[in-house]
Amino acid sequence: MITRRELRLQREAAERAAREQSTGAGSSAAPEATATGRRRTGMPSTGRPGYGGHGASVPVETPTSADLRGFHLLLLDDGVEVSDVLALIHNKLPDLPPRLDGHGQMRLSRHSRLSAGVALEPADAAALEVPDWARHALVLDCPRDRQPVPPPEWFADADGLHKAFPAGMPEREEERMLSLMLSIASRLHTGVRLADEPEMSTRVIVPDPDAKVDLYIYSPYWLEPNVALDFVRRHAPHAFQQALPTPDEDVLAQVSIDDPLFDPSAPVILDGYALLVPLGEISEAAGGLEIRVMEAEWVPPIIAAHSNSPQIEYHVHWMDTESRRYMPGLGRRFRRMRGEVARLTDAIGAELLVGCDGVGLDENGFLVTSRQLRE
C-alpha cells in the first residue's frame, strides 16, 4: 500500500504542476471469469452526479484527507473490494494482470498508476466532502492534461465533467484515465472525487449507473437473420428485420461494367443486417431498439486476447425518440421508461449471447454474462 509520505510527495508535485499550468509555465483470466461487478442487480443507486454534499461549514482536516487532496480518487463503498476494481481494469486492459504489485500499485500506463489507497474514516470522508457511503479511496496518479478553451455552451456530458472542468475539459492521458475511473464507478455504483484545484470547490462525480443501456456481443458464429429474429421475438414478438436496399438498374449496370464477372441474378450474400424493435408499448418517447449484426471492424482487447478468429458483433442499441438518453438531469418518468427499456435489452441480449455462444460486454466495455443479464 502506498505510504502517506509518498502520497504527500505526489500531492505536492501535483500541486506544483497545477500552479505551473495555471501560470502558463501477469497471466490473463478467461473472459467469463473476469465478469466482475453488477449490472442492474437491484443495488440502490448511490445518487445522481453532484459536487460536495456536507454543507457549507468547513470540515476539520485530517492527515489522510490532507494527503489525498491532490489526487483523483476512486471511491468505494463497503460492498466493493479492491479486487473488483482490478478485475474491471483487466477487462479494459487485459495486458495488465488483475493484481497490485509489491508496492500496492497497478501501473495503468507509462505515466499513470493506481494505488490501493486507504480506508476512509468518517472524519476523513467529512474532510474530503465525499458521500457518507465512501469507505475506501483508490488513488489515481496521472498527468493533468486539459483543453486550452472551455467546453462550448451547448456541450453536456452525462457525468457532469463539463461542470467539473469549466475552464477546459480533460484530454489525452487524463481524459483516458478519468474515463476509465468513471466507467468503473458506473459499473460498481460508486463515484470519483476529483483532485482539488485552485479556486475550485470540491467536485465529486457519481455517475448514473443506469445511463448505459446498450449491449455488445462478440462471437465467431454468424446467426442468419431469421434465427436471430426468433431469439429476439421471445421477448419482443413485434420485432422485424429492416428491409434491405435494392440496387436500381443504373447501379447494376455500372457494377457490370466495373466487374465483367458480376452476375446480377446471383443471390445476395449478406455482410450485415438489422433487426428493429419498436418500443411504443413502453412509451412514445422510448423510440426503438436496433440489433445491428455485422463483422466487427474493431474487437475490444479483452475479446482479442482470447480469440484470433474474426468476430461477429451483435450490438443491441437503444435509440430514444428525442435522443435524450445521455443528457444530464433526466426526470423520474424518463428514468422509469429507461429502466423498462434496459430490462428488455438485457433479456434480448441474454438470448443472443447464449444463441451465438458469444461473449457479452456492457456499454462501458465490461464483461457481462447471460446470468447477470437475466437477474
Side-chain angles (χ1 to χ4, degrees), residues 88-106:
L88 291 176
I89 292 175
H90 181 69
N91 281 194
K92 290 290 194 80
L93 305 170
D95 290 338
L96 299 180
R99 59 178 179 272
L100 300 173
D101 61 20
H103 302 286
Q105 300 175 356
M106 172 183 276

Side-chain angles (χ1 to χ4, degrees), residues 143-213:
R144 306 295 170 82
D145 297 321
R146 306 290 167 78
Q147 295 179 4
V149 295
E153 294 184 1
W154 52 262
F155 179 81
D157 177 85
D159 294 325
L161 282 173
H162 62 297
K163 295 181 179 179
F165 297 96
M169 294 282 285
E171 62 178 356
R172 296 190 293 271
E173 181 78 356
E174 188 178 30
E175 190 278 330
R176 289 190 293 270
M177 292 299 106
L178 280 179
S179 177
L180 175 61
M181 294 300 107
L182 288 169
S183 64
I184 292 172
S186 175
R187 175 67 179 254
L188 297 178
H189 296 210
T190 61
V192 173
R193 185 194 190 276
L194 301 174
D196 285 359
E197 297 186 25
E199 301 181 359
M200 292 290 293
S201 59
T202 300
R203 298 163 299 164
V204 178
I205 297 180
V206 180
D208 184 345
D210 299 321
K212 306 293 180 65
V213 174

Side-chain angles (χ1 to χ4, degrees), residues 36-54:
T36 302
R38 317 179 187 103
R39 177 180 168 89
R40 291 184 286 276
T41 57
M43 176 179 177
S45 170
T46 52
R48 297 173 61 189
Y51 306 89
H54 283 273

Side-chain angles (χ1 to χ4, degrees), residues 225 228-243 274-284 286-291 318 340-341 343-345 347-348:
L229 190 59
D230 285 342
F231 286 125
V232 174
R233 282 178 171 170
R234 293 179 182 180
H235 301 279
H238 52 297
F240 61 94
Q241 182 182 355
Q242 186 177 38
L275 308 178
L276 301 180
V277 181
L279 299 175
E281 294 182 358
I282 293 177
S283 169
E284 291 183 2
L289 289 177
E290 183 178 35
I291 297 89
W318 177 36
E340 294 186 48
V341 174
R343 284 188 287 274
L344 179 59
T345 300
I348 291 173

Side-chain angles (χ1 to χ4, degrees), residues 45 73 77 98 108 117 137 220 282 287 293 296 318 329 334 339:
S45 170
L73 307 175
D77 59 28
L108 302 175
I282 293 177
V293 183
W318 177 36
F334 189 95

